[in-house]
Amino acid sequence: YDPLLGHFTKDPSKMSRKKLLLVVLVLASLSLIVHHNWHLNWYTKSMQACYHPKSSREKHTAVVFLKTHKTASSTVQNVLFRFAEKHNVTVALPVQSCYHQFCYPRNFTARFIHPYSTPPRVITSHMRFNFSEVKKIMPNDTIYFTILRDPVSMFESLFSYYNQYCLSFKYVPNHSITTFLNNPLKYYKVTEKYAMYSHNTLTFDLGGDKDHNPEDEEYVSSFIKEMEDIFSLVMIAEYFDESLVLLKHLLSWDLEDILYIKLNMRSEESKLNITSDIPRKVREWNALDTKLYDHFNATLWKKLYKFGVDCVGKEVQLLRQAQKKLVENCFGGHPQVRLAKNIKNKELRPWQPSSKVNIIGYELPMNVASRFSDYCRKLVMPEVQYTKYLLRKETLR
Ligand SMILES: *[C@@H]1O[C@H](CO)[C@@H](O)[C@H](O)[C@H]1NC(C)=O
Ligand SMILES: *[C@@H]1O[C@H](CO)[C@@H](O)[C@H](O)[C@H]1NC(C)=O
Ligand SMILES: *[C@@H]1O[C@H](CO)[C@@H](O)[C@H](O)[C@H]1NC(C)=O
Ligand SMILES: *[C@@H]1O[C@H](CO)[C@@H](O)[C@H](O)[C@H]1NC(C)=O
Ligand SMILES: *[C@@H]1O[C@H](CO)[C@@H](O)[C@H](O)[C@H]1NC(C)=O
Ligand SMILES: *[C@@H]1O[C@H](CO)[C@@H](O)[C@H](O)[C@H]1NC(C)=O
Ligand SMILES: *[C@@H]1O[C@H](CO)[C@@H](O)[C@H](O)[C@H]1NC(C)=O
């Protein structure tokens, strides 16, 4: 039994030779690291506990990440932006009139892609999904994935984040989530531009009909089946690191490629209190999203069990250790969390939906070693700024 690999080995003689090789490799790597001082690129494929046949293949670079709202998707997007830059892969970016999203909430069409960012191999900006439109412009070996979040915490987040933006929320007396949920139809405005933030947002983002009768089992199951056929992985925000480990294996990426710092979070004071009967009411009001979520949470867990929860757990530990090291290098210990308005560097200031909600971001310390500074800056660069930066870069190219 090999504790490093997490499984029994069949051929002991082969294994000991492998081990010897491993020791030699480790020594060689160590001497390399010592020579180059600390280097950010030392995580390799050998730092994994799960065996997966795909892991030894070349890194997959053609990916579509369907970015959903308030689901930790900005963090995933940042991972993809950095991966694309590092591996010189073209990211599809929105035309300027679409801002930093593909003209969301309009239905996606290929015309929303900036011509300087074609032909793309990566798509990761917000859109209302339309598979046949996306398929037209992506390579035929593209891997699709997305992320969902528990509808209860997600709705709380939407309600607070879009409280001024979304008219269905704006006029709720005392801005009370309870008042809204006691009679959603009194406040919900189906035809307003941002109605999708207040009803079945996940279903809408994935291209479904947010106002469809949730009792229509045929619609629900065919929609779920369609999503299952398109997306090779549906991440679940509640199991973010576990989902990332699965993603890493799916794409044959290295541990280094999935390192992240959480982005686009609200401050604690901006979070609403969820009391006893709210969860039930949120699930009822967002019944389509709830069915979608419950289905794909179960799917994720099936995948995790199939993969081996123990080895995934070990890889999650490796990820967290590496992350800790990263934070030490970039922030000298712990990240300097700030309210957006207090961040001096404009490039690192996240977008605020209104003055009534506080989004937090990061300030980089002045004394970050120069060899890390570009890496660290990108790690905490918010979506809008990173999108602009990439468009400039791809335009120059
Ligand atoms: C990046 O890719 C482009 C084509 O997509 C190529 O022209 C360019 O030379 C590449 N740059 C590097 C540094 O590999
Ligand atoms: C998706 O795009 C295709 C064209 O590729 C179009 O025919 C279809 O109507 C679109 N579907 C929706 C729901 O907008
Ligand atoms: C994918 O596209 C390439 C070239 O564009 C083609 O050679 C290949 O046969 C296609 N593969 C599939 C499965 O369609
Ligand atoms: C709003 O809050 C105030 C004070 O907390 C309370 O007196 C009032 O009844 C509330 N209004 C509604 C419609 O709940
Ligand atoms: C957008 O897509 C939805 C279905 O996904 C469709 O019902 C709607 O008509 C489309 N809107 C436009 C403007 O094409
Ligand atoms: C939520 O509840 C806690 C404890 O009951 C309280 O300390 C906190 O201020 C409340 N937050 C809001 C936004 O009402
Ligand atoms: C997701 O599924 C797992 C396994 O069935 C379950 O234990 C867990 O409670 C579910 N998580 C959520 C947030 O519903």
Side-chain angles (χ1 to χ4, degrees), residues 316-341:
V316 166
Q317 286 314 311
L318 287 173
L319 172 64
R320 291 183 184 159
Q321 280 162 19
Q323 223 123 268
K324 219 175 136 207
K325 217 163 260 173
L326 185 68
V327 165
E328 270 164 29
N329 282 301
C330 286
F331 303 100
H334 45 87
Q336 308 196 350
V337 177
R338 295 262 190 289
L339 293 180
K341 58 175 186 255

PDB file of all heavy atoms in Angstrom, residues 316-341:
ATOM      1  N   VAL A 316      -7.190  17.977  -1.998  1.00  0.00           N
ATOM      2  CA  VAL A 316      -7.710  19.234  -1.455  1.00  0.00           C
ATOM      3  C   VAL A 316      -6.710  19.775  -0.422  1.00  0.00           C
ATOM      4  O   VAL A 316      -6.424  20.978  -0.383  1.00  0.00           O
ATOM      5  CB  VAL A 316      -9.110  19.047  -0.838  1.00  0.00           C
ATOM      6  CG1 VAL A 316      -9.507  20.225   0.025  1.00  0.00           C
ATOM      7  CG2 VAL A 316     -10.147  18.824  -1.931  1.00  0.00           C
ATOM      8  N   GLN A 317      -6.149  18.876   0.399  1.00  0.00           N
ATOM      9  CA  GLN A 317      -5.138  19.310   1.376  1.00  0.00           C
ATOM     10  C   GLN A 317      -3.914  19.892   0.675  1.00  0.00           C
ATOM     11  O   GLN A 317      -3.396  20.930   1.078  1.00  0.00           O
ATOM     12  CB  GLN A 317      -4.706  18.129   2.270  1.00  0.00           C
ATOM     13  CG  GLN A 317      -5.745  17.726   3.302  1.00  0.00           C
ATOM     14  CD  GLN A 317      -6.331  18.917   4.037  1.00  0.00           C
ATOM     15  OE1 GLN A 317      -5.593  19.769   4.509  1.00  0.00           O
ATOM     16  NE2 GLN A 317      -7.655  19.001   4.087  1.00  0.00           N
ATOM     17  N   LEU A 318      -3.480  19.218  -0.395  1.00  0.00           N
ATOM     18  CA  LEU A 318      -2.327  19.720  -1.158  1.00  0.00           C
ATOM     19  C   LEU A 318      -2.621  21.119  -1.713  1.00  0.00           C
ATOM     20  O   LEU A 318      -1.782  22.017  -1.669  1.00  0.00           O
ATOM     21  CB  LEU A 318      -1.996  18.783  -2.326  1.00  0.00           C
ATOM     22  CG  LEU A 318      -1.341  17.448  -1.986  1.00  0.00           C
ATOM     23  CD1 LEU A 318      -1.249  16.570  -3.226  1.00  0.00           C
ATOM     24  CD2 LEU A 318       0.048  17.674  -1.392  1.00  0.00           C
ATOM     25  N   LEU A 319      -3.840  21.265  -2.218  1.00  0.00           N
ATOM     26  CA  LEU A 319      -4.257  22.557  -2.768  1.00  0.00           C
ATOM     27  C   LEU A 319      -4.202  23.638  -1.691  1.00  0.00           C
ATOM     28  O   LEU A 319      -3.681  24.729  -1.903  1.00  0.00           O
ATOM     29  CB  LEU A 319      -5.673  22.430  -3.336  1.00  0.00           C
ATOM     30  CG  LEU A 319      -6.386  23.701  -3.784  1.00  0.00           C
ATOM     31  CD1 LEU A 319      -5.669  24.360  -4.949  1.00  0.00           C
ATOM     32  CD2 LEU A 319      -7.832  23.407  -4.196  1.00  0.00           C
ATOM     33  N   ARG A 320      -4.718  23.305  -0.509  1.00  0.00           N
ATOM     34  CA  ARG A 320      -4.767  24.310   0.566  1.00  0.00           C
ATOM     35  C   ARG A 320      -3.375  24.650   1.071  1.00  0.00           C
ATOM     36  O   ARG A 320      -3.093  25.818   1.390  1.00  0.00           O
ATOM     37  CB  ARG A 320      -5.675  23.824   1.694  1.00  0.00           C
ATOM     38  CG  ARG A 320      -7.116  23.824   1.204  1.00  0.00           C
ATOM     39  CD  ARG A 320      -8.134  23.439   2.258  1.00  0.00           C
ATOM     40  NE  ARG A 320      -9.454  23.388   1.625  1.00  0.00           N
ATOM     41  CZ  ARG A 320     -10.496  22.730   2.097  1.00  0.00           C
ATOM     42  NH1 ARG A 320     -10.397  22.081   3.233  1.00  0.00           N
ATOM     43  NH2 ARG A 320     -11.643  22.746   1.460  1.00  0.00           N
ATOM     44  N   GLN A 321      -2.506  23.641   1.121  1.00  0.00           N
ATOM     45  CA  GLN A 321      -1.125  23.923   1.536  1.00  0.00           C
ATOM     46  C   GLN A 321      -0.446  24.857   0.538  1.00  0.00           C
ATOM     47  O   GLN A 321       0.216  25.822   0.911  1.00  0.00           O
ATOM     48  CB  GLN A 321      -0.328  22.627   1.620  1.00  0.00           C
ATOM     49  CG  GLN A 321      -0.573  21.835   2.891  1.00  0.00           C
ATOM     50  CD  GLN A 321      -0.118  20.385   2.747  1.00  0.00           C
ATOM     51  OE1 GLN A 321       0.677  20.069   1.863  1.00  0.00           O
ATOM     52  NE2 GLN A 321      -0.628  19.518   3.595  1.00  0.00           N
ATOM     53  N   ALA A 322      -0.629  24.529  -0.744  1.00  0.00           N
ATOM     54  CA  ALA A 322       0.000  25.346  -1.793  1.00  0.00           C
ATOM     55  C   ALA A 322      -0.549  26.769  -1.742  1.00  0.00           C
ATOM     56  O   ALA A 322       0.178  27.744  -1.935  1.00  0.00           O
ATOM     57  CB  ALA A 322      -0.255  24.731  -3.158  1.00  0.00           C
ATOM     58  N   GLN A 323      -1.849  26.871  -1.470  1.00  0.00           N
ATOM     59  CA  GLN A 323      -2.493  28.170  -1.399  1.00  0.00           C
ATOM     60  C   GLN A 323      -1.919  29.006  -0.254  1.00  0.00           C
ATOM     61  O   GLN A 323      -1.724  30.208  -0.366  1.00  0.00           O
ATOM     62  CB  GLN A 323      -3.985  27.971  -1.188  1.00  0.00           C
ATOM     63  CG  GLN A 323      -4.830  28.859  -2.023  1.00  0.00           C
ATOM     64  CD  GLN A 323      -5.795  28.080  -2.888  1.00  0.00           C
ATOM     65  OE1 GLN A 323      -5.485  27.763  -4.009  1.00  0.00           O
ATOM     66  NE2 GLN A 323      -6.947  27.756  -2.355  1.00  0.00           N
ATOM     67  N   LYS A 324      -1.655  28.325   0.850  1.00  0.00           N
ATOM     68  CA  LYS A 324      -1.112  29.007   2.020  1.00  0.00           C
ATOM     69  C   LYS A 324       0.260  29.607   1.692  1.00  0.00           C
ATOM     70  O   LYS A 324       0.566  30.749   2.045  1.00  0.00           O
ATOM     71  CB  LYS A 324      -0.977  28.001   3.178  1.00  0.00           C
ATOM     72  CG  LYS A 324      -1.350  28.578   4.515  1.00  0.00           C
ATOM     73  CD  LYS A 324      -1.312  27.523   5.607  1.00  0.00           C
ATOM     74  CE  LYS A 324      -0.634  28.118   6.823  1.00  0.00           C
ATOM     75  NZ  LYS A 324       0.017  27.107   7.645  1.00  0.00           N
ATOM     76  N   LYS A 325       1.025  28.820   0.973  1.00  0.00           N
ATOM     77  CA  LYS A 325       2.354  29.272   0.574  1.00  0.00           C
ATOM     78  C   LYS A 325       2.251  30.476  -0.354  1.00  0.00           C
ATOM     79  O   LYS A 325       3.005  31.444  -0.249  1.00  0.00           O
ATOM     80  CB  LYS A 325       3.065  28.117  -0.131  1.00  0.00           C
ATOM     81  CG  LYS A 325       4.531  28.048   0.178  1.00  0.00           C
ATOM     82  CD  LYS A 325       5.092  26.689  -0.181  1.00  0.00           C
ATOM     83  CE  LYS A 325       5.243  25.790   1.020  1.00  0.00           C
ATOM     84  NZ  LYS A 325       5.626  24.425   0.646  1.00  0.00           N
ATOM     85  N   LEU A 326       1.289  30.385  -1.230  1.00  0.00           N
ATOM     86  CA  LEU A 326       1.062  31.452  -2.200  1.00  0.00           C
ATOM     87  C   LEU A 326       0.719  32.759  -1.486  1.00  0.00           C
ATOM     88  O   LEU A 326       1.247  33.829  -1.805  1.00  0.00           O
ATOM     89  CB  LEU A 326      -0.105  31.023  -3.086  1.00  0.00           C
ATOM     90  CG  LEU A 326      -0.478  31.903  -4.249  1.00  0.00           C
ATOM     91  CD1 LEU A 326       0.640  31.859  -5.274  1.00  0.00           C
ATOM     92  CD2 LEU A 326      -1.765  31.394  -4.878  1.00  0.00           C
ATOM     93  N   VAL A 327      -0.184  32.645  -0.519  1.00  0.00           N
ATOM     94  CA  VAL A 327      -0.611  33.820   0.221  1.00  0.00           C
ATOM     95  C   VAL A 327       0.567  34.421   0.987  1.00  0.00           C
ATOM     96  O   VAL A 327       0.711  35.644   1.075  1.00  0.00           O
ATOM     97  CB  VAL A 327      -1.773  33.441   1.167  1.00  0.00           C
ATOM     98  CG1 VAL A 327      -2.007  34.500   2.212  1.00  0.00           C
ATOM     99  CG2 VAL A 327      -3.041  33.208   0.369  1.00  0.00           C
ATOM    100  N   GLU A 328       1.435  33.558   1.496  1.00  0.00           N
ATOM    101  CA  GLU A 328       2.634  34.069   2.171  1.00  0.00           C
ATOM    102  C   GLU A 328       3.494  34.871   1.211  1.00  0.00           C
ATOM    103  O   GLU A 328       3.981  35.945   1.537  1.00  0.00           O
ATOM    104  CB  GLU A 328       3.459  32.900   2.727  1.00  0.00           C
ATOM    105  CG  GLU A 328       3.073  32.509   4.137  1.00  0.00           C
ATOM    106  CD  GLU A 328       3.622  31.136   4.501  1.00  0.00           C
ATOM    107  OE1 GLU A 328       4.683  30.740   3.957  1.00  0.00           O
ATOM    108  OE2 GLU A 328       2.974  30.458   5.315  1.00  0.00           O
ATOM    109  N   ASN A 329       3.658  34.327   0.016  1.00  0.00           N
ATOM    110  CA  ASN A 329       4.506  35.005  -0.959  1.00  0.00           C
ATOM    111  C   ASN A 329       3.912  36.315  -1.455  1.00  0.00           C
ATOM    112  O   ASN A 329       4.623  37.275  -1.689  1.00  0.00           O
ATOM    113  CB  ASN A 329       4.778  34.100  -2.154  1.00  0.00           C
ATOM    114  CG  ASN A 329       5.841  33.077  -1.837  1.00  0.00           C
ATOM    115  OD1 ASN A 329       6.963  33.436  -1.498  1.00  0.00           O
ATOM    116  ND2 ASN A 329       5.474  31.819  -1.898  1.00  0.00           N
ATOM    117  N   CYS A 330       2.602  36.322  -1.645  1.00  0.00           N
ATOM    118  CA  CYS A 330       1.967  37.514  -2.209  1.00  0.00           C
ATOM    119  C   CYS A 330       1.648  38.558  -1.146  1.00  0.00           C
ATOM    120  O   CYS A 330       1.707  39.749  -1.403  1.00  0.00           O
ATOM    121  CB  CYS A 330       0.676  37.149  -2.932  1.00  0.00           C
ATOM    122  SG  CYS A 330       0.953  36.343  -4.504  1.00  0.00           S
ATOM    123  N   PHE A 331       1.265  38.120   0.032  1.00  0.00           N
ATOM    124  CA  PHE A 331       0.766  39.073   1.023  1.00  0.00           C
ATOM    125  C   PHE A 331       1.590  39.062   2.306  1.00  0.00           C
ATOM    126  O   PHE A 331       1.218  39.714   3.275  1.00  0.00           O
ATOM    127  CB  PHE A 331      -0.692  38.778   1.371  1.00  0.00           C
ATOM    128  CG  PHE A 331      -1.599  38.780   0.186  1.00  0.00           C
ATOM    129  CD1 PHE A 331      -2.002  37.599  -0.400  1.00  0.00           C
ATOM    130  CD2 PHE A 331      -2.039  39.982  -0.360  1.00  0.00           C
ATOM    131  CE1 PHE A 331      -2.832  37.597  -1.500  1.00  0.00           C
ATOM    132  CE2 PHE A 331      -2.875  39.982  -1.464  1.00  0.00           C
ATOM    133  CZ  PHE A 331      -3.268  38.792  -2.039  1.00  0.00           C
ATOM    134  N   GLY A 332       2.646  38.298   2.299  1.00  0.00           N
ATOM    135  CA  GLY A 332       3.455  38.205   3.501  1.00  0.00           C
ATOM    136  C   GLY A 332       2.664  37.670   4.682  1.00  0.00           C
ATOM    137  O   GLY A 332       2.715  38.218   5.773  1.00  0.00           O
ATOM    138  N   GLY A 333       1.887  36.624   4.476  1.00  0.00           N
ATOM    139  CA  GLY A 333       1.183  36.005   5.590  1.00  0.00           C
ATOM    140  C   GLY A 333      -0.301  35.924   5.332  1.00  0.00           C
ATOM    141  O   GLY A 333      -0.812  34.896   4.954  1.00  0.00           O
ATOM    142  N   HIS A 334      -1.021  37.022   5.493  1.00  0.00           N
ATOM    143  CA  HIS A 334      -2.457  36.956   5.245  1.00  0.00           C
ATOM    144  C   HIS A 334      -2.866  38.089   4.304  1.00  0.00           C
ATOM    145  O   HIS A 334      -2.281  39.167   4.337  1.00  0.00           O
ATOM    146  CB  HIS A 334      -3.243  37.010   6.556  1.00  0.00           C
ATOM    147  CG  HIS A 334      -2.754  38.056   7.489  1.00  0.00           C
ATOM    148  ND1 HIS A 334      -3.198  39.349   7.430  1.00  0.00           N
ATOM    149  CD2 HIS A 334      -1.807  38.018   8.462  1.00  0.00           C
ATOM    150  CE1 HIS A 334      -2.571  40.057   8.347  1.00  0.00           C
ATOM    151  NE2 HIS A 334      -1.714  39.281   8.985  1.00  0.00           N
ATOM    152  N   PRO A 335      -3.878  37.832   3.462  1.00  0.00           N
ATOM    153  CA  PRO A 335      -4.279  38.829   2.472  1.00  0.00           C
ATOM    154  C   PRO A 335      -4.772  40.110   3.140  1.00  0.00           C
ATOM    155  O   PRO A 335      -5.408  40.053   4.192  1.00  0.00           O
ATOM    156  CB  PRO A 335      -5.421  38.158   1.716  1.00  0.00           C
ATOM    157  CG  PRO A 335      -5.424  36.736   2.119  1.00  0.00           C
ATOM    158  CD  PRO A 335      -4.708  36.632   3.419  1.00  0.00           C
ATOM    159  N   GLN A 336      -4.450  41.245   2.543  1.00  0.00           N
ATOM    160  CA  GLN A 336      -4.933  42.518   3.076  1.00  0.00           C
ATOM    161  C   GLN A 336      -6.321  42.790   2.497  1.00  0.00           C
ATOM    162  O   GLN A 336      -6.461  43.436   1.473  1.00  0.00           O
ATOM    163  CB  GLN A 336      -3.965  43.634   2.690  1.00  0.00           C
ATOM    164  CG  GLN A 336      -2.541  43.298   3.076  1.00  0.00           C
ATOM    165  CD  GLN A 336      -1.645  44.529   3.047  1.00  0.00           C
ATOM    166  OE1 GLN A 336      -2.032  45.597   2.561  1.00  0.00           O
ATOM    167  NE2 GLN A 336      -0.447  44.387   3.565  1.00  0.00           N
ATOM    168  N   VAL A 337      -7.318  42.276   3.191  1.00  0.00           N
ATOM    169  CA  VAL A 337      -8.694  42.427   2.733  1.00  0.00           C
ATOM    170  C   VAL A 337      -9.161  43.857   2.996  1.00  0.00           C
ATOM    171  O   VAL A 337      -8.908  44.408   4.056  1.00  0.00           O
ATOM    172  CB  VAL A 337      -9.611  41.426   3.471  1.00  0.00           C
ATOM    173  CG1 VAL A 337     -11.045  41.610   3.067  1.00  0.00           C
ATOM    174  CG2 VAL A 337      -9.165  40.004   3.189  1.00  0.00           C
ATOM    175  N   ARG A 338      -9.823  44.459   2.001  1.00  0.00           N
ATOM    176  CA  ARG A 338     -10.293  45.847   2.136  1.00  0.00           C
ATOM    177  C   ARG A 338     -11.683  45.980   1.509  1.00  0.00           C
ATOM    178  O   ARG A 338     -11.995  45.283   0.560  1.00  0.00           O
ATOM    179  CB  ARG A 338      -9.391  46.788   1.337  1.00  0.00           C
ATOM    180  CG  ARG A 338      -7.979  46.888   1.812  1.00  0.00           C
ATOM    181  CD  ARG A 338      -7.798  48.120   2.682  1.00  0.00           C
ATOM    182  NE  ARG A 338      -6.398  48.342   2.951  1.00  0.00           N
ATOM    183  CZ  ARG A 338      -5.638  47.596   3.738  1.00  0.00           C
ATOM    184  NH1 ARG A 338      -6.150  46.549   4.341  1.00  0.00           N
ATOM    185  NH2 ARG A 338      -4.363  47.884   3.915  1.00  0.00           N
ATOM    186  N   LEU A 339     -12.459  46.931   1.997  1.00  0.00           N
ATOM    187  CA  LEU A 339     -13.670  47.312   1.291  1.00  0.00           C
ATOM    188  C   LEU A 339     -13.224  47.945  -0.026  1.00  0.00           C
ATOM    189  O   LEU A 339     -12.203  48.638  -0.068  1.00  0.00           O
ATOM    190  CB  LEU A 339     -14.457  48.340   2.094  1.00  0.00           C
ATOM    191  CG  LEU A 339     -15.053  47.837   3.417  1.00  0.00           C
ATOM    192  CD1 LEU A 339     -15.806  48.962   4.109  1.00  0.00           C
ATOM    193  CD2 LEU A 339     -15.992  46.657   3.169  1.00  0.00           C
ATOM    194  N   ALA A 340     -14.005  47.682  -1.088  1.00  0.00           N
ATOM    195  CA  ALA A 340     -13.613  48.153  -2.422  1.00  0.00           C
ATOM    196  C   ALA A 340     -13.217  49.630  -2.404  1.00  0.00           C
ATOM    197  O   ALA A 340     -12.202  50.022  -2.973  1.00  0.00           O
ATOM    198  CB  ALA A 340     -14.752  47.922  -3.401  1.00  0.00           C
ATOM    199  N   LYS A 341     -14.013  50.463  -1.732  1.00  0.00           N
ATOM    200  CA  LYS A 341     -13.772  51.908  -1.783  1.00  0.00           C
ATOM    201  C   LYS A 341     -12.461  52.291  -1.107  1.00  0.00           C
ATOM    202  O   LYS A 341     -11.944  53.380  -1.332  1.00  0.00           O
ATOM    203  CB  LYS A 341     -14.955  52.666  -1.182  1.00  0.00           C
ATOM    204  CG  LYS A 341     -15.262  52.283   0.256  1.00  0.00           C
ATOM    205  CD  LYS A 341     -16.387  53.174   0.812  1.00  0.00           C
ATOM    206  CE  LYS A 341     -16.592  52.884   2.296  1.00  0.00           C
ATOM    207  NZ  LYS A 341     -17.806  52.104   2.575  1.00  0.00           N
TER     208      LYS A 341
END
